[in-house]
Amino acid sequence: MYCNWGWVETARSIFENSRERDVVSWSSMIAGYSQNESPARALSLFREMEVDGVQPNSVTFVSAIDACAGVGALRRGTQLHERVRCLGLDKDVPVATALVNLYGKCGRLEEAEAVFLGMKKKNLLTWTSIAMAYAQNGHGSRSLKLLHGMELQGMKPDGIVFVAILVSCNYAGQMSKGLYYYKLMTQDFGIAPAVEHCGCMVDILGRAGKLEAAEQLINTMKFESSLAWMMLLTACKAHNDTARAARAAEKIFQLEPKNATPYVLLSSVFCAAGSWEAAEETRRRMDGRGVQRLLGRSSIEIGDRVHEFVAASDVLPHHLVGEIFAALEKLGREMQGAGYVPDATAVRLRDVEEGGKENAVPYHSEMLALGLGIVSTPAGTPLRITKNLRMCSDCHIATKFVSKLVHRRISVRDGRRHHHFENGVCSCGDYW
Ligand SMILES: [Zn+2]
Ligand SMILES: [Zn+2]
C-alpha cells in the first residue's frame, strides 16, 4: 500500500522491522522500488534477498527484469533471463513480456523478437511491448505488420497498440501514414483518441512543420492535455515559433504548475531566437514559483555493476573520477582538432536545458557515464547509456564526435528515444 502511494521509505521501514520476511514481502518491496523510479535499489534488494536464501518467484523476477530495463542493465537482465529459463518460468506471460520490454529498452530488437515469437500465449501488454520496441528503435514498418498479426490472431488492437503504431510513424517521420492510422483507429475501430494519441499526432504534425494544424487538433479535443501542449511546444522549438511556444507554455503552466519542463523548453526557444532577456525572465518565473529543476540522471552497466551519475552532485561518488575528467578533457581537445566548434547557442542551451547547481560539474550526466565507459572497458567495446531526460543538443553533437574518435558504437536511450551513434552519425537523424 505504501509503495502504491509512493511512500517508499515508509514501506522500507515496515519491511525492515518485520520479524519474518517471505517471498511476498521481498517481492512487494522490490516492486515498490522498481515502480517508484529507484530501479538501482530494486536490483540491490533483489541481491540481498538471494543472500538471505529466499527463492524468487515469477512476480519477483518481473520486478527485477523491469528494474534492469529501467537502468539499461542488459547484462544483469540477460543473467535473469538465463535463470528464469532454467526454472521454466520463461514461458510465464508476465515474465516473458518483461523480457520483451527489457530487450526493447536496451536496443536489442533481435532478442526482443525471439522472446516474443517464442511465446505461445501473449497478452495485450506483450503486443504493446514489442510494438514499442520496434517504434523506439526506428523499425516502424515492423510495428505496422504487428497490427495485421494481431488481427489474424483474432485480437482487437486497443488504443495502446495504436499509440505504438503512431509512435512508429512519428519516429520514421511518416506524417501521411500517421494520419491514415489515426483515421483508421478513430473511424474503423471506433477507438476514441486518448491523451497519448493526441500527443503523438501533435508531434507528427509538429515535426512536419504543420504547427497550425497541430494546435487546431489540440483545441478540438474534449480533454485538456498538457502532454499534447508539450509536444506542440517541442515542435515550436524546432521551428522557432516563439509566439506559439509562449501560448503552449502558458497552457501547461496552468495544467501542471509544478512541472519544470515547459519553463525549460520555453526559455530555450527564447535562447535559440536570441532573446536572452525573455529566456532569463522565464527562468526567474520558474524559480519564483518554486518549481524544482529537473535532475539529469544517467546510468551505465560495466561488468555486473550499474553505475549512476546525477547532474547536480558536487562531488562525484566514483573512484575513477580523476580518470573520467582527464579522458573527457582529452577528448574535448581532440574534438576541437576534428572540427568541433562549441556553438554558443548550444552551450548556453546546455545550461538552460538541464538544471542542477551552477558549475557543479561541467558535464552532463551522460558524458560522465560515457567517460567511465571509455576508461574502464577495452578499446572498441560498444557502450550503452540510459538517461532519464532528453539529451541536450551539445551532448548530442559531442557524442557523435566521440563515437568517431574512439571507434566505438555508443547507444544512449534518453527520455525520448534511442540514439545509436556510430562513426560520427546518430540514428535519430538529429531530430529527437
Ligand atoms: Zn547535455
Ligand atoms: Zn540522436
Side-chain angles (χ1 to χ4, degrees):
M1 178 186 79
Y2 282 118
C3 286
N4 284 339
W5 290 355
W7 297 16
V8 191
E9 295 313 318
T10 313
R12 180 68 191 246
S13 85
I14 293 172
F15 174 79
E16 287 299 330
N17 291 318
S18 57
R19 210 173 299 161
E20 270 182 59
R21 295 179 209 152
D22 62 3
V23 63
V24 177
S25 47
W26 279 99
S27 301
S28 305
M29 198 60 236
I30 293 168
Y33 281 132
S34 186
Q35 286 153 17
N36 285 285
E37 307 245 328
S38 307
R41 294 180 76 182
L43 286 177
S44 67
L45 197 65
F46 183 79
R47 214 165 243 185
E48 276 181 49
M49 167 180 168
E50 298 203 282
V51 171
D52 231 42
V54 178
Q55 269 300 320
N57 64 18
S58 60
V59 178
T60 336
F61 278 117
V62 169
S63 297
I65 296 168
D66 281 347
C68 291
V71 286
L74 179 61
R75 196 187 169 109
R76 264 314 272 293
T78 311
Q79 288 166 356
L80 289 172
H81 186 181
E82 196 46 49
R83 289 191 45 203
V84 292
R85 205 196 327 257
C86 294
L87 292 166
L89 290 172
D90 60 329
K91 297 288 174 260
D92 182 86
V93 177
V95 172
T97 301
L99 287 168
V100 172
N101 178 51
L102 164 81
Y103 288 124
K105 290 260 169 72
C106 292
R108 294 299 175 98
L109 264 188
E110 306 303 314
E111 283 93 335
E113 205 166 44
V115 175
F116 178 80
L117 294 174
M119 291 171 74
K120 286 209 177 66
K121 277 194 201 157
K122 302 177 178 87
N123 62 22
L124 215 44
L125 192 60
T126 322
W127 286 94
T128 311
S129 302
I130 189 79
M132 288 310 281
Y134 287 143
Q136 291 176 339
N137 287 286
H139 290 275
S141 55
R142 285 202 246 175
S143 179
L144 303 180
K145 272 191 200 131
L146 276 183
L147 179 69
H148 305 300
M150 283 187 83
E151 286 184 280
L152 285 177
Q153 296 209 3
M155 292 186 78
K156 195 173 176 298
D158 74 339
I160 304 172
V161 173
F162 274 101
V163 172
I165 289 168
L166 294 178
V167 168
S168 300
C169 297
N170 188 14
Y171 286 171
Q174 296 166 321
M175 184 181 70
S176 49
K177 255 193 183 160
L179 288 167
Y180 166 78
Y181 281 102
Y182 185 72
K183 212 173 137 205
L184 185 78
M185 175 186 91
T186 48
Q187 296 183 359
D188 295 8
F189 285 93
I191 298 172
V195 172
E196 292 78 12
H197 305 110
C198 175
C200 209
M201 287 312 294
V202 169
D203 207 19
I204 289 177
L205 291 165
R207 185 171 295 224
K210 310 273 183 212
L211 299 179
E212 184 65 43
E215 193 173 355
Q216 270 175 14
L217 180 76
I218 305 180
N219 285 323
T220 58
M221 288 290 150
K222 291 199 183 80
F223 45 79
E224 287 278 20
S225 159
S226 61
L227 176 86
W229 288 112
M230 201 77 89
M231 293 300 174
L232 183 63
L233 179 52
T234 310
C236 291
K237 180 171 176 260
H239 298 283
N240 300 318
D241 187 336
T242 44
R244 207 185 302 272
R247 245 189 341 263
E250 288 303 330
K251 284 280 185 186
I252 312 167
F253 295 161
Q254 288 167 18
L255 293 167
E256 277 190 69
K258 290 289 169 207
N259 189 345
T261 313
Y263 290 95
V264 172
L265 280 171
L266 182 60
S267 75
S268 52
V269 173
F270 285 136
C271 274
S275 317
W276 307 114
E277 248 321 294
E280 259 313 301
E281 174 58 30
T282 309
R283 297 297 277 186
R284 274 198 297 274
R285 267 174 85 187
M286 173 177 162
D287 292 338
R289 291 175 183 176
V291 178
Q292 290 292 314
R293 296 189 179 200
L294 306 165
L295 225 55
R297 191 185 293 272
S298 295
S299 53
I300 184 167
E301 184 188 43
I302 292 166
D304 52 8
R305 258 199 73 190
V306 175
H307 304 256
E308 202 168 49
F309 293 93
V310 182
S313 42
D314 285 316
V315 187
L316 282 174
H318 206 280
H319 64 285
L320 289 176
V321 64
E323 282 182 57
I324 295 173
F325 273 66
L328 288 174
E329 271 156 36
K330 179 167 166 279
L331 279 168
R333 285 190 300 272
E334 289 176 8
M335 273 162 56
Q336 297 199 5
Y340 164 77
V341 185
D343 164 28
T345 312
V347 171
R348 276 186 96 151
L349 279 176
R350 195 183 68 181
D351 295 334
V352 170
E353 288 190 2
E354 201 167 315
K357 288 177 213 157
E358 310 279 323
N359 307 324
V361 172
Y363 302 103
H364 281 159
S365 56
E366 65 270 44
M367 298 313 282
L368 298 170
L370 180 58
L372 176 66
I374 290 171
V375 301
S376 51
T377 58
T381 313
L383 301 172
R384 271 181 326 97
I385 294 160
T386 301
K387 177 171 192 188
N388 62 340
L389 305 177
R390 175 188 176 277
M391 260 186 121
C392 78
S393 332
D394 195 42
C395 291
H396 194 266
I397 299 173
T399 310
K400 287 200 285 186
F401 272 97
V402 173
S403 72
K404 190 167 187 173
L405 287 169
V406 301
H407 304 289
R408 292 188 194 229
R409 274 183 290 133
I410 302 168
S411 36
V412 179
R413 184 184 103 213
D414 74 358
R416 290 258 305 155
R417 62 172 297 160
H418 281 271
H419 301 266
H420 298 289
F421 298 92
E422 193 167 9
N423 202 23
V425 203
C426 181
S427 62
C428 75
D430 298 337
Y431 196 114
W432 76 103

